[in-house]
């Protein structure tokens, strides 16, 4: 009762002080007689406090006015400190009903809590629905076409883009063939002045990126409505501006004054994404990933993750490379990686065939426009497919050779399934990395069978049989082919597969002609020098 009355008086006093600065506090109410139930020491304590003139609050009021707060207002007097403390066996540690801690008498005011301590509460995060990522635009520059529909029709018809190299004299090289783009024009896509300065990998990248936007229905009017801070570009390259760098070295033989002042920025792998973002005004995530021939898949998965995390709504992602120049060709010849089937170029790239003798270099770019589902629906975008997820691993084994038992590849596929939540029995189409190298093709095939061998409906093909190996652009161009397979319901053939290698089931591989197929979930693999493994998954879009 006493505690209640004193607490009431204190609250009343504080309220009157906070509302009136004329130093006219309301008089405290009379305290009732101490209860007989209080101990003698408690009664002495109470009497000492009621005699204390500090509770008249003149000094405390001034402290309150000048900002020290209500704690300084409740300063006990000296008589309170001299009185005998309450017994620890008392029913309360303080007659106010709250805990107070005695401090050393240094002349400083003692702080007394005026509110009981509240139990900490843990706020649960609201359950949020995972953001879905869809493909709404496709752009491609390749040896078999730089218009998406033409590109895929040529793949379905088994048209090969492998031919003799024409851009430079390669007669002294043992390999004289490549998936070279014979005619390419950036007119209408890139400013003429810029076209003359940049490396071809950047020309391909900028063109494919803008074609993906056009294919996705991102017109000038749509661009004005976009939140440019939530639109980004992640388009990588394995080798970057090799021609720019080679020309700079030749110029340096004469004098540094002859060097292109743009040779350093135009040779870096990130500058293609940067210039595309500058052209579009997109201020979201912008960078390049370079993981050799696995580059594109790394870029696509990272771009999708930015959307899933809510950092962006729209991303251009993929890869670009153009290394069919003397230093590029010579470097891969020195690695003993290239086919030397110069007499019949269209037959040179032959994944899984027993007579394969190495991969064929290619060039080009592939770009996917990835978009958050609701954002795409709001603007009425065409949806090609849904991006389900993916994963990366490292063989940690050898610079250029895959792990002989395919451990890293199988682990990558398993992690991709776990990350995406896709059941392995639902994966019925795989666009394989399959470069036409003796060991690489078999290692990947064995890893695939290890993961999906129980699926009697499984079909596998390799886009490289017709376009060659596009290095850092390979995964993106093959992702475009994978998405088109989902959209059209047709799988392109494996050309040049005449005699499958020992242990390869020909029934699992797509034959020499295109096949009608209902894709449930598609997997696209890409692997690179250094043991980089990547697997990404696409599926038909279903409105759930």
């Amino acid at each position: 009762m006493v505690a209640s009355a004193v607490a009431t008086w204190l609250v009343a006093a504080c309220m009157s002080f906070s509302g009136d600065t004329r130093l006219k506090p309301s008089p405290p109410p009379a305290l009732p007689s101490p209860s007989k139930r209080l101990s003698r020491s408690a009664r002495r304590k109470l009497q000492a406090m009621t005699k204390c003139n500090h509770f008249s609050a003149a000094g405390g009021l001034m402290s309150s006015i000048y900002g020290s707060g209500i704690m300084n207002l409740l300063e006990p007097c000296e008589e309170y400190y001299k009185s005998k403390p309450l017994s620890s066996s008392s029913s309360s540690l303080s007659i106010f009903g709250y805990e107070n801690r005695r401090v050393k008498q240094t002349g400083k005011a003692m702080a007394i809590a005026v509110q009981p301590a509240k139990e900490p509460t843990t706020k649960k995060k609201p359950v949020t629905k995972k953001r879905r990522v869809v493909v709404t635009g496709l752009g491609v520059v390749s040896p078999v076409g730089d218009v998406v529909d033409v590109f895929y029709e040529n793949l379905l018809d088994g048209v090969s883009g492998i031919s003799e190299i024409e851009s430079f004299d390669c007669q002294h090289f043992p390999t004289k063939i490549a998936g070279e783009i014979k005619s390419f024009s950036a007119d209408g896509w890139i400013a003429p002045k810029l076209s003359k300065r940049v490396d071809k990998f950047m020309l391909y990248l900028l063109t494919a990126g803008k074609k993906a936007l056009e294919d996705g229905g991102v017109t000038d009017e749509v661009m004005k409505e976009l939140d440019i801070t939530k639109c980004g570009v992640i388009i990588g390259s394995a080798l970057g501006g090799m021609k720019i760098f080679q020309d700079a070295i030749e110029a340096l033989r004469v004098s540094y004054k002859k060097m292109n002042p743009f040779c350093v920025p135009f040779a870096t792998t990130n500058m293609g994404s940067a210039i595309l973002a500058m052209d579009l005004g997109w201020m979201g995530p912008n960078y390049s990933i370079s993981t050799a021939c696995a580059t594109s898949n790394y870029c696509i998965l990272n771009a999708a993750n930015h959307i899933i995390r809510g950092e962006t709504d729209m991303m251009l992602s993929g890869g670009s490379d153009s290394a069919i120049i003397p230093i590029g060709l010579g470097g891969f010849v020195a690695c003993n990686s290239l086919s030397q089937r110069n007499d019949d170029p269209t037959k040179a790239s032959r994944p899984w065939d027993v007579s394969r003798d190495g991969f064929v270099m290619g060039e080009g770019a592939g770009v996917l426009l990835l978009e958050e589902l609701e954002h795409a629906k709001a603007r009425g975008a065409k949806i090609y497919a849904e991006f389900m997820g993916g994963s990366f691993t490292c063989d940690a084994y050898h610079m250029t050779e895959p792990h002989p038992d395919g451990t890293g590849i199988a682990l990558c596929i398993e992690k991709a399934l776990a990350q995406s939540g896709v059941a392995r029995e639902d994966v019925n189409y795989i666009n394989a990395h399959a470069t036409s190298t003796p060991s690489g093709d078999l290692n990947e095939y064995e890893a695939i069978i290890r993961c999906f061998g129980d699926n009697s409906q499984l079909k596998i093909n390799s886009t490289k049989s017709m376009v060659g190996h596009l290095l850092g652009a390979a995964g993106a161009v093959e992702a475009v082919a994978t998405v088109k397979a989902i959209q059209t319901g047709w799988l392109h053939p494996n050309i040049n597969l005449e005699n499958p290698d020992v242990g390869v089931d020909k029934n699992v591989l797509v034959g020499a002609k295109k096949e009608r197929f209902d894709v449930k979930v598609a997997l696209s693999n890409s692997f690179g020098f250094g043991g980089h493994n990547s697997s990404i998954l696409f599926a038909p879009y279903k409105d759930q």
Side-chain angles (χ1 to χ4, degrees):
M1 179 175 67
V2 172
S4 176
V6 174
T8 303
W9 167 67
L10 288 172
V11 173
C14 295
M15 292 178 64
S16 64
F17 295 157
S18 62
D20 188 352
T21 61
R22 294 174 296 176
L23 302 180
K24 292 181 180 180
S26 302
L31 293 176
S33 299
S35 172
K36 292 181 180 179
R37 287 173 293 180
L38 288 177
S39 66
R40 182 178 300 173
S41 59
R43 291 199 297 271
R44 284 201 302 268
K45 180 69 66 177
L46 180 58
Q47 289 169 0
M49 293 183 64
T50 55
K51 292 179 182 179
C52 182
N53 58 7
H54 282 54
F55 282 95
S56 61
L61 174 62
M62 294 305 293
S63 297
S64 178
I65 292 173
Y66 286 103
S68 62
I70 193 171
M71 293 306 189
N72 288 341
L73 182 64
L74 305 179
E75 182 181 351
C77 64
E78 191 65 24
E79 291 184 35
Y80 173 75
Y81 289 124
K82 292 179 180 178
S83 63
K84 185 179 179 181
L86 291 175
S87 171
S88 60
S89 61
S90 175
S91 60
S92 174
L93 293 178
S94 168
I95 61 172
F96 285 101
Y98 309 119
E99 179 184 359
N100 63 75
R101 298 178 181 177
R102 182 170 179 175
V103 298
K104 293 183 179 180
Q105 299 180 37
T106 58
K108 296 182 179 179
M110 185 185 75
I112 300 177
V114 296
Q115 291 291 339
K118 294 182 178 179
E119 291 294 330
T121 57
T122 302
K123 292 184 178 179
K124 293 183 178 180
K125 292 183 179 180
V127 178
T128 56
K129 187 177 181 181
K130 182 179 178 181
R131 287 161 60 92
R132 296 168 65 186
V133 180
V134 292
V135 181
T136 56
L138 301 170
V140 68
V141 175
S142 81
V144 296
D146 57 6
V147 176
V148 170
D149 289 341
V150 173
F151 159 77
Y152 200 62
E153 282 298 325
N154 283 333
L155 291 183
L156 292 178
D157 292 340
V159 175
S160 175
I162 312 299
S163 60
E164 292 185 3
I165 296 172
E166 299 177 1
S167 58
F168 63 94
D169 184 5
C170 59
Q171 291 307 307
H172 59 290
F173 288 101
T175 294
K176 303 174 178 61
I177 57 175
E180 187 179 48
I181 296 174
K182 303 301 185 186
S183 60
F184 172 77
S185 175
D187 293 347
W189 300 104
I190 306 170
K193 189 175 182 180
L194 183 64
S195 295
K196 294 177 182 179
R197 290 180 171 177
V198 300
D199 191 274
K200 282 201 296 184
F201 101 91
M202 290 176 62
L203 289 179
Y204 297 158
L205 183 157
L206 296 171
T207 303
K210 291 186 176 182
K211 286 185 175 182
L213 284 178
E214 182 185 61
D215 184 59
V218 182
T219 61
D220 291 340
E221 289 72 23
V222 173
M223 285 286 286
K224 293 176 183 178
E225 300 297 322
L226 296 177
D227 180 355
I228 58 174
T229 66
K230 300 194 74 174
C231 298
V233 183
I234 306 178
I235 305 175
S237 177
L239 298 173
M242 290 194 70
K243 180 65 164 61
I244 289 283
F245 203 73
Q246 179 179 274
D247 291 346
I249 292 173
E250 293 301 319
L252 184 60
R253 296 180 186 276
V254 180
S255 169
Y256 73 89
K257 295 180 181 180
K258 298 293 184 180
M259 293 176 67
N260 181 346
F262 300 102
C263 66
V264 171
F266 283 173
T268 58
T269 61
N270 71 297
M271 200 53 62
S273 287
I275 289 180
L276 182 55
M278 293 175 201
D279 198 354
L280 300 175
W282 284 12
M283 299 176 68
N286 185 285
Y287 53 92
S288 169
I289 298 173
S290 184
T291 49
C293 305
T295 290
S296 289
N297 278 11
Y298 274 69
C299 291
I300 292 169
L301 181 52
N302 275 273
N305 285 337
H306 281 296
I307 296 174
I308 292 170
R309 291 194 298 264
E311 298 164 0
T312 58
D313 294 325
M314 185 180 286
M315 295 289 296
L316 286 168
S317 62
S320 178
D321 257 321
S322 178
I324 305 176
I325 57 175
I327 192 172
L329 181 66
F332 283 112
V333 166
C335 287
N336 197 30
S337 300
L338 300 181
S339 170
Q340 298 181 16
R341 200 183 294 264
N342 300 311
D343 56 338
D344 195 359
T346 62
K347 300 286 187 180
S349 185
R350 43 198 316 112
W352 299 297
D353 192 80
V354 70
S355 63
R356 65 192 182 280
D357 66 333
F359 75 83
V360 179
M361 288 182 69
E363 62 179 350
V367 177
L368 279 66
L369 177 61
L370 302 180
E371 197 166 350
E372 193 275 324
L373 175 59
E374 297 304 322
H375 188 273
K377 290 166 66 175
R379 69 179 186 86
K382 171 182 62 180
I383 297 176
Y384 280 103
E386 181 169 1
F387 179 80
M388 305 303 293
S391 187
F392 317 127
T393 61
C394 178
D395 279 350
Y397 172 73
H398 191 273
M399 283 192 300
T400 60
E401 292 293 324
H403 198 286
D405 61 6
T407 301
I409 296 173
L411 178 62
C412 187
I413 294 172
E414 294 290 346
K415 289 181 66 177
L417 293 173
Q419 188 275 338
S420 62
V422 171
R424 71 180 65 251
E425 59 268 19
D426 288 338
V427 178
N428 62 348
Y429 166 53
I430 296 176
N431 188 300
H433 181 63
T435 61
S436 188
T437 56
S439 61
D441 289 10
L442 276 182
N443 290 339
E444 181 185 13
Y445 176 82
E446 290 167 359
I448 290 172
I449 296 302
R450 192 185 313 170
C451 295
F452 303 105
D454 293 336
N455 189 345
S456 60
Q457 303 300 315
L458 186 67
K459 284 294 181 180
I460 308 173
N461 63 8
S462 172
T463 306
K464 293 182 181 70
S465 63
M466 288 170 276
V467 301
H469 192 350
L470 276 60
L471 309 179
V477 171
E478 290 157 16
V480 171
T482 302
V483 170
K484 289 295 290 182
I486 291 172
Q487 184 209 16
T488 63
W490 286 97
L491 303 183
H492 70 68
N494 288 303
I495 69 169
N496 305 323
L497 182 59
E498 298 168 355
N499 297 299
D501 204 343
V502 178
V504 176
D505 184 357
K506 190 174 183 178
N507 294 323
V508 175
L509 304 178
V510 180
K513 299 292 183 181
K514 65 182 180 181
E515 295 184 17
R516 191 75 180 170
F517 196 72
D518 181 19
V519 179
K520 294 174 66 178
V521 178
L523 176 79
S524 181
N525 285 333
S526 284
F527 316 125
F529 281 179
H532 303 293
N533 305 309
S534 60
S535 299
I536 56 177
L537 294 142
F538 299 91
Y541 164 66
K542 296 178 181 179
D543 191 7
Q544 298 175 355

